[in-house]
Amino acid sequence: MTPAAQNLSRALLPETPSNGRVYNFSAGPAVMPESVLEQLREELLDCRRGGIGLLELSHRGALYEALNNEAEAACRKAAGVGSDYAVFFMPGGATVQFGLLPLNFLGENDTAAYIDTSIWSYKAYTEALRCRPVTVAFDGRALKYARVPKKGEFTEPAGAKYLLYCQNNTVEGTTFWAPPETGLPLIGDATSDIFSRPWDFSKHAMVLAAGQKNLGASGASLVIARKDFIESATPRLPQILRFADHAAAGSRLNTPPTFAVRVIGLMAEWTLSVGGPAAIAQNNAYKAGLIWDAVDNSGGFYSWPAEKWCRSHLNICFRTPKPELDAKFVAEAETHGMFGLLGHREAGGMRASIYNAFPTNGCRILADFMGEFAKKNG
Ligand code: PMP
């Protein structure tokens, strides 16, 4: 371990979960910092000593308004965007956003393009296809989702209203290391990598991220979008489906998911308090390296199709030579206090999801366990 990584990991996170808690490798909803959970516990009963609990606050009251504005401000700071971008929250997860994109931006004769690198970008594509004849700009399915496109390795249909890609592929264990270069308005799905690394939001017309991973609770999504882009949406939509109306209403067009918004705010503030995306990225690289090294040093016992240059630092996937051994691995890991390692149902194998709040020590323990398990079962 480099001295820098050691200092960073100590400063950032508790090394072990507190009493009764386990190492939670769940892909989402996922582990949160205990300091955030403790603050929420306190606020549930009495928020900022006003005598009213967080879940009981009117969304039109001054206190909730302050919490909402603080959440927006922390997200804006973590994203590093200027006043030409709107930062706001919408009810529901990423799949809701996938459905809203064609409704907002695609008129009857319009199209959009999708870089398909994962089951999630494929879902975004097939949802849009129900409304409009959108196209696949890069066919990752044909490559068994083993990698993302290399520079320029995708098509850009002339006049397409947007190009969507998934920044980190939660199920497949691959990631983009930079936003694709394009002349089209670019939309990033950042659900599994938001605030995990410095990211150039200004290259995007919109970045969307569901809660549940680096943003904490599910139930709301963060949207960071160029104002002129969302305002270009058709006005012939109910307001509740229109991004620009949510932004204009300060994330309170109707009764918002107040709890989820508060959690997103606290998670963004925690992100900033531990050094922001740049410090977190270093720590994530170190944590991921421990587990990917255990895959690479297993003499072929563990494997995964993801190409090395685009391996994710947040979702580390691997399998043993046999599905029976995978099941044994997951069961035995639980007896060592490691939970949530079963891979996605479509991908199989194992998946260690180690988002920003996942303790470094859990990665060390998993890597050691992988070595022992390979020795015994190889
Ligand atoms: N995109 C990505 C990258 C995801 O990881 C997920 C969920 N794991 C989704 C979209 C779907 O999110 P939701 O369940 O909030 O619709």
Side-chain angles (χ1 to χ4, degrees), residues 104 107 144 163 212 220 236 238 270-271 273 281 311 356:
N104 274 259
K144 298 203 160 63
L163 174 71
Q212 64 166 276
R236 287 180 24 227
W270 175 84
T271 301
S273 76
R311 279 174 168 177
N356 297 350

Side-chain angles (χ1 to χ4, degrees), residues 27 92-96 98 120 166 168-170 189-192 210-213:
T95 310
V96 175
F98 294 165
W120 294 119
C166 183
N168 180 75
N169 298 300
T170 325
D189 173 3
T191 296
S192 58
Q212 64 166 276
K213 307 180 201 293

Side-chain angles (χ1 to χ4, degrees), residues 167-186:
Q167 299 181 181
N168 180 75
N169 298 300
T170 325
V171 173
E172 296 78 6
T174 62
T175 205
F176 281 80
W177 286 113
E181 300 280 345
T182 177
L184 297 175
L186 184 63

Side-chain angles (χ1 to χ4, degrees), residues 90-299:
M90 289 182 59
T95 310
V96 175
Q97 315 297 316
F98 294 165
L100 295 181
L101 292 173
L103 297 181
N104 274 259
F105 303 112
L106 303 183
E108 235 168 85
N109 301 314
D110 290 335
T111 189
Y114 286 72
I115 293 182
D116 179 19
T117 55
S118 69
I119 68 153
W120 294 119
S121 44
Y122 189 70
K123 179 137 192 203
Y125 162 68
T126 51
E127 288 292 286
L129 202 52
R130 298 166 76 99
C131 309
R132 299 286 181 234
V134 293
T135 63
V136 170
F138 172 78
D139 185 5
R141 256 171 114 72
L143 305 170
K144 298 203 160 63
Y145 291 143
R147 65 174 176 87
V148 301
K150 295 186 176 148
K151 204 163 180 224
E153 197 191 355
F154 54 87
T155 53
E156 296 175 88
K161 293 289 172 178
Y162 61 80
L163 174 71
L164 181 139
Y165 76 114
C166 183
Q167 299 181 181
N168 180 75
N169 298 300
T170 325
V171 173
E172 296 78 6
T174 62
T175 205
F176 281 80
W177 286 113
E181 300 280 345
T182 177
L184 297 175
L186 184 63
I187 300 185
D189 173 3
T191 296
S192 58
D193 67 312
I194 186 90
F195 303 153
S196 68
R197 52 187 168 174
W199 200 245
D200 193 348
F201 286 80
S202 73
K203 293 229 158 98
H204 300 78
M206 178 189 287
V207 171
L208 59 94
Q212 64 166 276
K213 307 180 201 293
N214 287 330
L215 297 178
S218 57
S221 294
L222 166 66
V223 181
I224 298 174
R226 241 179 36 225
K227 290 176 181 166
D228 62 346
F229 180 65
I230 52 175
E231 282 159 13
S232 74
T234 173
R236 287 180 24 227
L237 259 189
Q239 283 190 305
I240 200 71
L241 303 181
R242 203 165 172 271
F243 293 102
D245 288 282
H246 284 273
S251 311
R252 277 158 297 148
L253 193 55
N254 68 329
T255 316
T258 55
F259 181 72
V261 169
R262 174 62 178 149
V263 176
I264 292 177
L266 286 173
M267 291 296 286
E269 283 167 14
W270 175 84
T271 301
L272 296 169
S273 76
V274 297
I280 283 181
Q282 276 190 52
N283 202 47
N284 288 345
Y286 175 70
K287 292 192 301 186
L290 292 170
I291 306 172
W292 283 122
D293 282 353
V295 172
D296 293 341
N297 299 335
S298 69

